[in-house]
């Protein structure tokens, strides 16, 4: 796990000190690699920089930038290749005698593979997470590549004649040629989704390399500022029903998970895992412990607010599995202290509020280990989100009701605030069995009302995943691209695919990567081994959602390790009471960022639209944290830009 940065500026000699510019870029990502730094240049305007967090081969043999045995390729690489030992054996077998390896790093193996198979074929053989920049001296081309699902970030763009690339936006900003304006379309996307989706970034002309792609760049492309489109070396398979029995499917997944986790537990530094006590993290830890001769180190944070605390569940799981468990209870003040750090941690505006507990649990883990495995991606791959059940049922029923009737019913529901509906529901609770009572009924009713207004299934999905329904009407001078369309097939499968391609890499994985890297912790996500992703895509929906149970196949596998009663409980998000904080301890901070004169002066938002939502939130007329947090994160980012 590391950070990379670099630039290619033909004919730049004499304009500025290239080595000093690279050092400034490298220094901005120090936290991604505090153990070592490296630099290389070709004497003609190409500079490659690297920050190293040493995980495998802690010796100088793992130093980057690294050159291939013949000298043809030079690489900077962020990530881990889990099958590098198998690739090394394959490469040795292709020669009459073993290759003269300098060490046992995955970087060295990758370079040797480039020389034998070429770059694109090697990418197809890699199992792991990575962002790569590799210079081909023979062809004088630079190739940028990113792992299949997007665990590792990579930004790039041409600014004032220089191609800039790095793991984080701050590094690009540190280059003397960087001069970019905020993209208003990207700002509208931020308000809509709470993140800026690839290939966009918050800046005009700066892109995120999409997952599963590579792009080859030559001198003419840099000088003309025309880089071309990234090429795919991998694509998420289409959902197809697999002719497997339940038992065979569970056994195959079990073996895949064991193989993947065994590979991902290889490290020359202390290793542990996040444990929330939910299905996904519990399964990862269960398999880790079954494969380990020592107690696995597990980490959980707890909150004093019972509505947001999973620590007791995690402790019970840890006790059953026999892990070396560490928990830390944090106060609201501890969490609030993270807020001022968020713009620097994330580099570009990012507004998933679970970024705060993610940072805190990463900080806890880093005080004990250097690598932590995570249970992320189980929801997207195996049907964990409520919308995968809720929306198909709602669409099937509402589609039978004429549009005008649906829209009238929607308006009737919205005549009362969510709080008013909560009050009405609480009065009816004595008449409703406890198992049928709904948490936050007002919010759920308003969400249903929003869904009822739409005429297609894809519009309903788009509504559910959007924070601001009219984001382009709030951001001055912006527009949004048409939404993805569901045409036919299984609606739940389509939603899962959309989430895997967008929400997973650009929200979940970005959140975990930046939070962990802020404390120099490497995170690994076993569910994202592409073989597991491909296997999940072949499974019929009946193996993912059955009899109202989400992640059915994961549950069956987990029951082999943990009693049902330890994990069978309502899903609890990894969240914080942000709606209360915005009315309380964060109110003054938010008020200053949402000052109407400031908003008008900056010229990004229509002040009246923002203020109307803020004032409704303060009056308790609803929970508008999802709309407000993206605006606040952008405003806070502007202060530090």
């Amino acid at each position: 796990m590391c950070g990379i940065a670099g630039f290619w500026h033909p004919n730049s000699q004499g304009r500025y000190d290239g080595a000093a510019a690279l050092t400034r870029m490298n220094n901005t990502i120090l936290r991604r690699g505090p153990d070592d730094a490296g630099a290389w240049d070709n004497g003609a305007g190409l500079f490659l920089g690297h920050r190293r967090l040493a995980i495998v081969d802690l010796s100088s043999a793992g130093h980057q930038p690294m050159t291939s045995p013949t000298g043809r390729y030079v690489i900077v690489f962020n990530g881990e290749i889990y099958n590098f030992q198998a690739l090394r054996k394959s490469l040795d077998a292709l020669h009459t005698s073993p290759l003269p390896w300098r060490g046992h790093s995955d970087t060295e193996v990758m370079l040797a593979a480039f020389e034998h198979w070429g770059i694109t074929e090697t990418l197809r053989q890699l199992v792991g997470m990575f962002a790569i920049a590799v210079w081909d001296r023979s062809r004088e081309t630079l190739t940028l590549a990113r792992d299949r699902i997007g665990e590792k970030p990579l930004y790039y763009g041409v600014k004032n004649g220089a191609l800039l690339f790095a793991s984080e936006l701050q590094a690009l900003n540190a280059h003397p040629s960087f001069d970019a304006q905020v993209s208003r379309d990207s700002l509208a996307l931020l308000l809509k989704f709470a993140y800026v989706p690839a290939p966009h970034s918050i800046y005009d002309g700066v892109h995120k390399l999409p997952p599963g792609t590579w792009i080859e760049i030559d001198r003419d492309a840099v000088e003309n500022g025309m880089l071309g489109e990234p090429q795919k070396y991998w694509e998420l398979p289409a959902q197809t029903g697999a002719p497997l029995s339940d038992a065979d499917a569970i056994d195959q997944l079990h073996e895949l998970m064991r193989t993947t986790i065994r590979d991902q537990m290889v490290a020359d530094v202390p290793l542990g895992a996040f444990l929330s006590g939910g299905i996904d993290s519990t399964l990862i830890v269960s398999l880790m412990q079954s494969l380990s001769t020592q107690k696995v180190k597990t980490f959980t944070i707890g909150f004093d607010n019972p509505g947001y605390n999973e620590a007791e569940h995690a402790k019970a799981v840890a006790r059953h599995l026999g892990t070396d468990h560490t928990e830390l209870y944090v106060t609201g003040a501890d969490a609030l202290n993270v807020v001022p750090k968020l713009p620097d941690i994330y580099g570009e505006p990012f507004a998933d509020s679970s970024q705060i507990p993610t940072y805190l649990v990463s900080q806890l883990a880093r005080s004990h280990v250097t690598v932590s495995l995570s249970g992320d991606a189980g929801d997207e791959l195996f049907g964990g989100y409520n919308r995968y059940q809720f929306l198909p049922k709602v669409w099937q029923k509402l589609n039978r009701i004429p549009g005008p009737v649906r829209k009238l019913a929607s308006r009737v529901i919205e005549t009362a605030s969510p709080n008013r509906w909560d009050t009405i529901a609480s009065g009816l609770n004595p008449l409703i069995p406890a198992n049928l009572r709904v948490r936050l009924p007002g919010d759920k009713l308003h969400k249903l009302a929003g869904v009822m207004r739409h005429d297609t299934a894809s519009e309903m999905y788009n509504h559910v995943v959007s924070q601001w329904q009219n984001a382009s009407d709030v951001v001055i001078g912006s527009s949004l691209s048409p939404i993805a369309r569901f045409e036919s097939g299984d609606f739940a499968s389509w939603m899962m695919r959309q989430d895997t391609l967008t929400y997973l890499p650009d929200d979940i994985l970005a959140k975990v990567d930046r939070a962990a890297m802020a404390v120099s912790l490497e995170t690994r996500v076993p569910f994202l081994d592409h073989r597991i992703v491909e296997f999940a895509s072949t499974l019929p929906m009946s193996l993912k959602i059955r009899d109202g149970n989400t992640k059915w196949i994961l549950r069956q596998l987990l029951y082999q390790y943990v009693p049902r009663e330890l994990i069978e409980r309502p899903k609890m998000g990894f969240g914080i009471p942000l709606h209360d904080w915005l009315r309380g301890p964060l109110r003054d901070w938010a008020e200053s960022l949402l000052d109407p004169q400031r908003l008008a002066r900056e010229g990004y938002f229509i002040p009246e639209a923002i203020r109307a939502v803020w004032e409704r939130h303060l009056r308790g007329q609803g929970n508008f944290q999802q709309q407000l947090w993206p605006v606040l994160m952008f405003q806070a980012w502007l202060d530090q830009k």
Side-chain angles (χ1 to χ4, degrees), residues 152-164:
K152 295 294 101 191
L154 186 53
Y155 294 88
Y156 71 103
V158 175
K159 293 296 172 185
N160 294 312
L163 169 71
L164 312 176

Side-chain angles (χ1 to χ4, degrees), residues 221-238:
V222 176
E223 292 180 334
N224 296 329
M226 304 290 288
L227 301 184
E229 292 297 318
Q231 304 298 306
K232 293 182 180 180
Y233 67 88
W234 182 85
E235 198 161 8
L236 182 65

Side-chain angles (χ1 to χ4, degrees), residues 4 66 84 115 154 184 259 365 375 397 434 452 536 573 596 605 628 638 641:
I4 66 175
M66 187 181 293
F84 77 97
E115 292 204 329
L154 186 53
R184 292 174 184 266
T259 299
K397 293 177 181 178
M452 290 169 67
F605 301 115
L628 293 167
L638 272 184
K641 184 167 76 77

Side-chain angles (χ1 to χ4, degrees), residues 94-263:
L94 294 169
H95 298 80
T96 55
S97 59
L99 294 173
W101 303 103
R102 292 164 287 183
H104 63 275
S105 74
D106 50 358
T107 312
E108 186 179 5
V109 172
M110 195 167 11
L111 283 168
F114 290 160
E115 292 204 329
H116 187 82
W117 292 305
I119 294 176
T120 54
E121 178 54 34
T122 297
L123 292 175
R124 296 185 184 100
Q125 296 198 42
L126 299 179
V127 177
M129 55 180 181
F130 52 84
I132 298 168
V134 56
W135 173 247
D136 184 340
R137 279 171 157 163
S138 175
R139 300 181 62 237
E140 294 192 333
T141 57
L142 181 72
T143 298
L144 306 178
R146 193 174 176 205
D147 64 69
R148 293 170 177 85
I149 309 297
E151 289 186 67
K152 295 294 101 191
L154 186 53
Y155 294 88
Y156 71 103
V158 175
K159 293 296 172 185
N160 294 312
L163 169 71
L164 312 176
F165 61 89
S167 298
E168 298 186 14
L169 271 183
Q170 294 98 315
L172 274 63
N173 219 333
H175 191 276
S177 292
F178 187 81
D179 178 19
Q181 302 299 314
V182 169
S183 165
R184 292 174 184 266
D185 291 349
S186 293
L187 180 53
L189 288 168
L190 172 70
L191 262 63
K192 185 173 182 64
F193 298 118
Y195 59 88
V196 180
H200 310 282
S201 84
I202 194 62
Y203 288 118
D204 277 322
V206 176
H207 313 285
K208 297 183 183 86
L209 188 67
T213 69
W214 58 275
I215 184 169
E216 185 180 84
I217 302 166
D218 60 20
R219 182 184 180 119
D220 287 343
V222 176
E223 292 180 334
N224 296 329
M226 304 290 288
L227 301 184
E229 292 297 318
Q231 304 298 306
K232 293 182 180 180
Y233 67 88
W234 182 85
E235 198 161 8
L236 182 65
Q239 296 275 347
T240 57
L244 288 174
S245 68
D246 290 355
D248 286 345
I250 294 167
D251 288 346
Q252 287 191 32
L253 179 60
H254 196 179
E255 186 56 35
L256 274 173
M257 293 291 297
R258 284 178 59 84
T259 299
T260 295
I261 290 173
R262 184 185 296 110
D263 290 345

